Amino acid sequence: MFSLANGAIGLYLHVLSFALPLWTVIHHPELTWVVGLLVALNALLTATFQVPASAGITSIRAASRRLVAGAVCLAMSYLFFLSGWSASPAVLVLALGVFLVAHTAGEVLYSAGTMELLFRLAPARQQGQYGAFYGVSNGVMSSAAPAVLGAAIALGAGWGWWGLAAATVLLALLIRAVSQRPEADSVGESPARP
């Protein structure tokens, strides 16, 4: 359950590289230069803050809280795409900066919680199996990302982005609930489902 829900949330990994360029070309082609800058800033911020974001996670409960906080930030970043952004280019660039901060914070917090849960929930003798299933589920969702994100951009009135934002938070809450089951606390004794 954890791996499948995480794979679905993992669509966020393709927002900067696929959804944002497509959205910019469609709605604001004069600002395509900003996309490369945002991707570079995201990489720099992620490299800077990933280790501090992972610090202090000492339990399944702490990891799941970090994961949910990251999912909420990601959901808020999706709501950027709801606006028609008919404002001036300067205002749009500022809004893109806010979007980048929310998206990067979500990415850093979510991945910190996810990686911790991946290793804490897997029984010691099945780390490889759990890690492999985790990777496969992420791969499957990565292949679906262009279609899902393209549909979110194409749907009128922003329904696709509302749906992605809601699904991201709900799936993170599902992961939290699954990870805090009593059997998840006794890792290695009672196998939890990936």
Side-chain angles (χ1 to χ4, degrees):
M1 183 63 72
F2 165 76
S3 293
L4 294 174
N6 177 67
I9 294 172
L11 290 170
Y12 78 85
L13 294 168
H14 305 278
V15 169
L16 283 176
S17 60
F18 178 81
L20 183 62
L22 179 60
W23 181 86
T24 305
V25 165
I26 291 171
H27 297 289
H28 298 281
E30 74 282 5
L31 291 177
T32 52
W33 62 271
V34 176
V35 175
L37 180 61
L38 292 176
V39 171
L41 282 171
N42 171 262
L44 178 64
L45 292 170
T46 301
T48 302
F49 293 109
Q50 189 63 69
V51 172
S54 301
I57 301 178
T58 57
S59 67
I60 288 175
R61 203 171 297 278
S64 63
R65 277 196 304 265
R66 197 84 40 107
L67 177 140
V68 170
V72 169
C73 290
L74 288 169
M76 290 187 326
S77 77
Y78 293 160
L79 301 183
F80 162 84
F81 294 101
L82 293 177
S83 173
W85 293 112
S86 57
S88 70
V91 171
L92 180 56
V93 169
L94 182 62
L96 282 165
V98 172
F99 156 79
L100 178 70
V101 169
H103 186 80
T104 303
E107 182 177 354
V108 166
L109 293 169
Y110 183 81
S111 62
T114 303
M115 293 312 294
E116 189 70 25
L117 286 177
L118 172 63
F119 293 107
R120 284 186 181 268
L121 293 177
R125 295 180 189 169
Q126 295 177 304
Q127 290 282 338
Q129 292 170 333
Y130 277 58
F133 188 77
Y134 174 87
V136 168
S137 65
N138 281 345
V140 168
M141 289 312 295
S142 288
S143 65
V148 173
L149 295 172
I153 291 170
L155 284 174
W159 290 112
W161 293 107
W162 280 113
L164 278 175
T168 297
V169 173
L170 291 173
L171 287 170
L173 292 172
L174 175 65
I175 291 171
R176 182 178 180 183
V178 168
S179 68
Q180 294 183 1
R181 296 181 316 214
E183 61 266 27
D185 293 333
S186 54
V187 174
E189 298 172 10
S190 166
R193 291 184 180 255

